[in-house]
Amino acid sequence: MAIEDIGKNALQVLEKRYLAKDAEGNHTEDVAGLFRRVAAAVAPEDRNYDENADTAALADSFYELMTSLRFLPNSPTLMNAGRPLGQLSACFVLPVEDSMEAIFETVKNAALIHKSGGGTGFSFSRLRQNGAPVNSTGGVASGPVSFMRVFNMATEAVKQGGTRRGANMGILRVDHPDILEFIDCKKVNGDITNFNISVGITEAFMQAVEENRDYDLIDPQTRRPVGKRSARELFEKIVDAAWRNGEPGIIFLDRLNRDNVVPSQGEIESTNPCGEQPLLPYESCNLGSINLVKMLAKTPEGYAVDYGLLRDTVRQAIHFLDNVIDVNNYPLEQIGAVTRATRKIGLGVMGFADMLLYLGVPYNSDEGVALAEKLMAFINAEGHAASTALAAQRGAFPLFAESIYKDGDLLRNGTVTTIAPTGTLSMIGGCSSGVEPVFAYVYIRNIMDGTEMLEVNPVLREKLQERGLYSDALMRKIAKEGTIAHIAEIPEDIRRVFVCAHDVSPVYHTRMQAAFQRHTDNAVSKTVNFPHSATREEVAEVYMLAYKMGCKGVTIYRDGSRDSQVLNIGSVK
Ligand code: UDP
């Protein structure tokens, strides 16, 4: 595939946000140049392990891997590899210790990370509660939420030089005394907007909800109980807030820690901003995604997954991501050290929903869920095999002997798989994002600077053109309705397969997330979409279902429940 085959929208995104510019704002590279720059920065790391490595040939193969859109590394790698900043990771977690110095040290470090295009996650659970005494001043503490506002303002001010919005995750444990204030901290539209928030839930809490018992609130300083609350009431408060505007999400802390690769390094308390990457304090992770649409082969009957190509792509991607750990210019010395100790990478997928369209499998079907499971099991197994092969040449990750994997095959990387949202990557790849269903087949995208684009899903376009049914008028109708489920001009066999996010029931959304989670080392970025008319009970059911099905967290969104949404369904202007 040649550069010219990269879609128009993709080129627009790359030109606007990713191509290197000089001081006057003129591009100093074209799209081919961008991919050459990235390949040329990542390939030479092979010399660390083999002084005769043919890194020019490797750079060519990485170039082909990316320009064929089979695989793309996360945005910071595309933006910064081979350039002075050189910061290549999307995900970071920083500790927030309970002292003024430590808090503001972390504000500073977060600002440095944001400037370089990374997103940061924090647990605020160690901060003493609002009203607790401050020994040195005789005053009282203002609590986690007040400090979240400080982080939020700092993020606002940095805004990453205009290329990428600073994203944060804020987590508070369910047993923190300020949990109610936290749950409602984004209630007012426009408050703490640079944060996604999630409540850190424990299994003990979920059991208390199921048995309708009280649970203990714990003083973060003394670790002693300081009160009790009805678990079910608190759960309903979370559900109510999420029903109102999609937040907070929940994450299951015990599950994150069950998969904590090196427990000797401490507890996992937070994830990155979109929830897919649990990390230790000061750890970072670079992600990359395989475009599943490119993993299809044409057959006499239609399309089929090309597992041979998928295996090759996984191996190349793991090699690429492992090199990124070495070439990365970390924003802090400590982040470099912690990251190199576990060498976590996160290979995921995008274009899953588009792939199903080509295969003629509805997203909301048992067959769809089964395929998700089969595909991700394959990618995870091949990814681990590739990491084991790298370990044979390069050595296992330094903390391997202390890891949960110590009795098995060597691994080069503490974690291998993560399913990212691929917000920008999927635009570049011209495919549906992550493992989400197609949001809408014809829709309006609000770009950062306020411009709008009307876009038609390429698979639907192809299908309708094949049958001679494509017309602009029909596209406008679809844009207006939001879904094609009730459009009589479209044959039933197409409507059955071309389902959109709102045609998929919350239960199927959750089943799909759980299917991918079963074969993913880290976590899955996924939003369970609800129609505007959904009730609080339906939201509560999904939270329970996600818990029972082994998900690591849940994020829900009820259509129309926020003032501004990035994606609008059924709104054509
Ligand atoms: N991220 C961020 N700012 C953004 C978008 C993403 O900091 O505006 C970080 C965040 O940690 C998120 C991760 O990048 O969880 C991956 O997001 P996504 O897959 O959408 O990024 P892409 O590589 O597609 O740009």
Side-chain angles (χ1 to χ4, degrees):
M1 183 171 146
I3 285 287
E4 304 82 64
D5 296 327
I6 295 181
K8 195 170 78 228
N9 293 341
L11 291 177
Q12 223 175 334
V13 172
L14 289 167
E15 280 165 11
K16 213 158 164 183
R17 315 227 303 251
Y18 287 62
L19 297 185
K21 292 186 189 125
D22 63 18
E24 275 86 51
N26 302 313
H27 291 145
T28 55
E29 64 184 4
D30 56 11
V31 171
L34 176 152
F35 289 117
R36 280 268 167 237
R37 162 170 60 74
V38 176
V42 175
E45 293 305 316
D46 271 37
R47 289 265 165 83
N48 297 335
Y49 310 104
D50 172 7
E51 59 186 31
N52 299 317
D54 184 351
T55 58
L58 184 64
D60 284 345
S61 78
F62 283 162
Y63 176 81
E64 199 279 329
L65 178 69
M66 292 183 284
T67 52
S68 62
L69 301 177
R70 284 190 287 129
F71 163 84
L72 290 170
N74 57 205
S75 289
T77 303
L78 293 176
M79 288 173 171
N80 300 333
R83 295 180 64 193
L85 199 52
Q87 196 295 102
L88 310 182
S89 298
C91 311
F92 296 80
V93 164
L94 293 172
V96 186
E97 300 288 352
D98 188 37
S99 80
M100 216 42 113
E101 265 161 39
I103 292 169
F104 283 88
E105 181 66 21
T106 297
V107 171
K108 179 189 84 184
N109 292 338
L112 293 175
I113 292 170
H114 289 166
K115 193 177 132 196
S116 71
T120 42
F122 318 90
S123 164
F124 291 93
S125 303
R126 297 184 196 192
L127 298 187
R128 72 192 75 178
Q129 65 268 36
N130 187 349
V134 178
N135 294 338
S136 53
T137 62
V140 291
S142 49
V145 173
S146 72
F147 287 106
M148 285 173 68
R149 292 185 199 284
V150 175
F151 280 81
N152 189 63
M153 291 295 285
T155 306
E156 192 65 32
V158 178
K159 285 284 181 190
Q160 300 175 10
T163 48
R164 201 164 158 88
R165 198 172 53 87
N168 297 301
M169 169 65 87
I171 286 174
L172 199 70
R173 285 177 63 97
V174 72
D175 53 15
H176 191 287
D178 287 0
I179 191 65
L180 281 183
E181 193 184 345
F182 177 80
I183 289 169
D184 282 339
C185 76
K186 294 191 68 174
K187 199 169 182 177
V188 177
N189 248 312
D191 246 13
I192 317 195
T193 47
N194 296 311
F195 269 90
N196 294 327
I197 60 167
S198 275
V199 177
I201 302 263
T202 56
E203 307 262 331
F205 173 79
M206 286 310 279
Q207 274 160 20
V209 172
E210 287 189 304
E211 292 159 19
N212 198 9
R213 283 190 281 107
D214 285 354
Y215 74 104
D216 287 333
L217 296 175
I218 309 285
D219 181 324
Q221 283 181 294
T222 62
R223 304 298 310 153
R224 279 208 284 272
V226 284
K228 278 192 188 302
R229 197 176 276 296
S230 152
R232 197 163 281 181
E233 243 170 61
L234 200 277
F235 183 73
E236 280 165 10
K237 286 237 185 289
I238 297 172
V239 166
D240 182 64
W243 178 86
R244 277 175 205 285
N245 70 0
E247 289 196 274
I250 54 179
I251 60 161
F252 297 114
L253 291 172
D254 307 296
R255 288 185 187 161
L256 302 189
N257 281 293
R258 216 168 290 150
D259 288 346
N260 183 356
V261 179
V262 194
S264 62
Q265 299 303 294
E267 246 181 73
I268 293 189
E269 299 170 55
S270 182
T271 67
N272 71 328
C274 302
E276 70 276 16
Q277 188 63 49
L279 292 170
L280 294 165
Y282 290 115
E283 202 171 24
S284 72
C285 184
N286 52 295
L287 311 177
S289 299
I290 291 178
N291 181 350
L292 291 174
V293 175
K294 302 291 177 188
M295 298 297 123
L296 292 171
K298 198 127 180 66
T299 65
E301 298 81 43
Y303 291 93
V305 178
D306 182 342
Y307 281 97
L309 180 64
L310 182 56
R311 173 183 293 120
D312 289 347
T313 305
V314 169
R315 292 199 174 158
Q316 277 185 290
I318 298 294
H319 183 175
F320 183 103
L321 292 173
D322 190 61
N323 281 23
V324 169
I325 297 173
D326 293 334
V327 74
N328 204 344
N329 186 15
Y330 295 93
L332 284 179
E333 193 46 51
Q334 195 170 2
I335 292 176
V338 174
T339 303
R340 282 188 288 261
T342 54
R343 301 188 68 88
K344 289 181 181 171
I345 55 175
L347 178 64
V349 295
M350 57 183 163
F352 172 67
D354 281 350
M355 166 188 249
L356 291 181
L357 301 179
Y358 279 112
L359 295 172
V361 176
Y363 188 97
N364 50 352
S365 66
D366 290 347
E367 202 188 345
V369 174
L371 183 60
E373 183 123 20
K374 182 176 171 198
L375 258 178
M376 205 56 214
F378 181 86
I379 292 170
N380 202 39
E382 289 299 330
H384 278 250
S387 183
T388 297
L390 279 179
Q393 295 163 0
R394 304 179 169 191
F397 61 92
L399 291 177
F400 181 81
E402 293 175 37
S403 78
I404 56 175
Y405 294 120
K406 67 179 191 303
D407 298 323
D409 290 339
L410 290 182
L411 275 177
R412 177 69 175 157
N413 310 95
T415 65
V416 173
T417 44
T418 301
I419 300 195
T422 70
T424 321
L425 293 192
S426 61
M427 285 195 235
I428 300 171
C431 61
S432 57
S433 44
V435 297
E436 297 289 1
V438 172
F439 187 78
Y441 286 89
V442 185
Y443 64 90
I444 294 146
R445 198 186 276 278
N446 297 327
I447 306 293
M448 240 176 153
D449 63 6
T451 48
E452 289 185 347
M453 290 197 294
L454 184 71
E455 284 176 38
V456 180
N457 176 279
V459 199
L460 181 69
R461 184 196 292 264
E462 196 181 307
K463 195 82 186 168
L464 292 177
Q465 279 171 345
E466 237 174 62
R467 304 251 191 125
L469 292 169
Y470 188 87
S471 75
D472 272 3
L474 184 58
M475 293 310 108
R476 297 217 152 255
K477 190 167 177 183
I478 296 173
K480 206 161 180 182
E481 295 239 342
T483 147
I484 66 170
H486 311 293
I487 297 189
E489 297 96 297
I490 298 185
E492 162 61 25
D493 68 308
I494 298 184
R495 280 191 271 160
R496 192 177 67 88
V497 173
F498 286 72
V499 292
C500 74
H502 283 277
D503 301 324
V504 175
S505 69
V507 171
Y508 261 110
H509 274 283
T510 313
R511 282 187 63 194
M512 197 57 102
Q513 180 178 337
F516 277 102
Q517 182 62 71
R518 278 192 282 280
H519 305 286
T520 301
D521 294 339
N522 293 300
V524 179
S525 169
K526 174 92 189 71
T527 300
V528 176
N529 287 101
F530 284 88
H532 188 71
S533 59
T535 63
R536 291 168 174 82
E537 289 69 32
E538 288 171 292
V539 173
E541 258 171 52
V542 159
Y543 275 24
M544 274 298 178
L545 190 65
Y547 169 64
K548 299 222 159 102
M549 287 185 153
C551 294
K552 288 186 176 171
V554 199
T555 305
I556 69 114
Y557 184 69
R558 190 168 59 93
D559 193 41
S561 65
R562 259 183 229 162
D563 275 359
S564 75
Q565 23 190 94
V566 178
L567 297 168
N568 285 312
I569 185 168
S571 62
V572 63
K573 281 186 195 141

